């Protein structure tokens, strides 16, 4: 802002062109229920160079998409379960924030938010109260998810 140059003007022009040609794009918002649902996934060691995983999740309020994230994980996961657990923990933190935000609008839900995951070992581990020695490297995420399942948040 204080020292613009030719490159900045070029980038501004490019941004304005993009906005002009994408005005008709958007997310549809339809009348539906006020129930939260979140879908989470991760690709284990998906980056061929660093072998870091990519996490992603999206949250719907009824039929309307209200939150989404795709992000490369900061450290290398030692298993697909660890990678998926990191994605689920991030999705759970987002769900808790959204639940508080929705509560501020005086919208209450008696049911916990459904959190969908496609990894069967993660699902089994999340419902298992006995912590296994083989999964000690994901203990914090495991405890975080178990607590929120027991609290009926998710």
């Amino acid at each position: 802002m204080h020292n613009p140059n030719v490159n900045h003007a070029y980038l501004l022009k490019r941004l304005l062109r993009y906005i002009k040609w994408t005005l008709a794009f958007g997310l549809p918002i339809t009348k539906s229920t006020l129930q939260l649902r979140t879908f989470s996934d991760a690709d284990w060691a998906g980056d061929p160079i660093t072998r870091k995983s990519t996490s992603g999740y999206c949250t719907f309020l009824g039929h309307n998409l209200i939150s989404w994230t795709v992000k490369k994980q900061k450290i290398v996961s030692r298993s697909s379960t660890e990678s998926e657990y990191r994605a689920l923990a991030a999705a759970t933190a987002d769900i808790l924030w959204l639940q508080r935000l929705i509560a501020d609008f005086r919208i209450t839900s008696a049911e916990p938010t459904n959190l969908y995951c496609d990894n069967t070992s993660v699902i089994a581990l999340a419902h298992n109260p006995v912590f296994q020695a083989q999964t000690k490297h994901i203990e914090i995420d495991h405890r975080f998810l178990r607590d929120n399942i027991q609290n009926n948040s998710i």
Side-chain angles (χ1 to χ4, degrees):
M1 296 281 297
H2 300 289
N3 189 15
N5 60 33
V6 175
N7 190 38
H8 294 114
Y10 167 75
L11 292 173
L12 177 62
K13 192 173 183 181
R14 190 171 165 188
L15 176 66
L16 291 174
R17 280 190 197 134
Y18 174 80
I19 291 171
K20 178 183 177 185
W21 292 106
T22 59
L23 285 175
F25 295 174
L27 295 172
I29 297 175
T30 59
K31 188 174 183 179
S32 62
T33 64
L34 298 175
Q35 182 66 34
L36 283 174
R37 295 175 298 139
T38 299
F39 298 87
S40 173
D41 200 9
D43 73 333
W44 178 49
D47 188 319
I49 297 169
T50 64
R51 288 299 178 198
K52 291 182 180 177
S53 304
T54 303
S55 300
Y57 59 86
C58 58
T59 302
F60 292 83
L61 183 61
H63 299 300
N64 304 305
L65 179 65
I66 59 168
S67 175
W68 65 94
T69 297
V70 177
K71 191 174 185 181
K72 188 181 286 190
Q73 294 178 359
K74 294 181 180 181
I75 61 173
V76 177
S77 298
R78 297 176 62 195
S79 66
S80 63
T81 304
E82 180 181 0
S83 176
E84 291 278 353
Y85 249 102
R86 283 201 182 112
L88 284 172
T92 301
D94 191 58
I95 288 169
L96 296 174
W97 180 80
L98 287 169
Q99 287 174 340
R100 286 187 212 111
L101 180 66
I102 290 170
D104 286 345
F105 290 110
R106 293 187 173 88
I107 300 170
T108 59
S109 176
E111 299 176 21
T113 299
N114 291 324
L115 177 56
Y116 298 96
C117 173
D118 62 354
N119 189 305
T120 54
S121 64
V122 168
I123 295 167
L125 191 61
H127 290 285
N128 185 2
V130 179
F131 195 70
Q132 306 295 326
Q134 300 92 334
T135 56
K136 191 172 184 180
H137 57 288
I138 55 171
E139 184 175 6
I140 294 171
D141 289 336
H142 179 264
R143 300 268 185 222
F144 180 64
L145 287 169
R146 288 278 310 143
D147 287 349
N148 283 294
I149 289 170
Q150 289 174 342
N151 294 340
N152 281 332
S153 297
I154 59 170

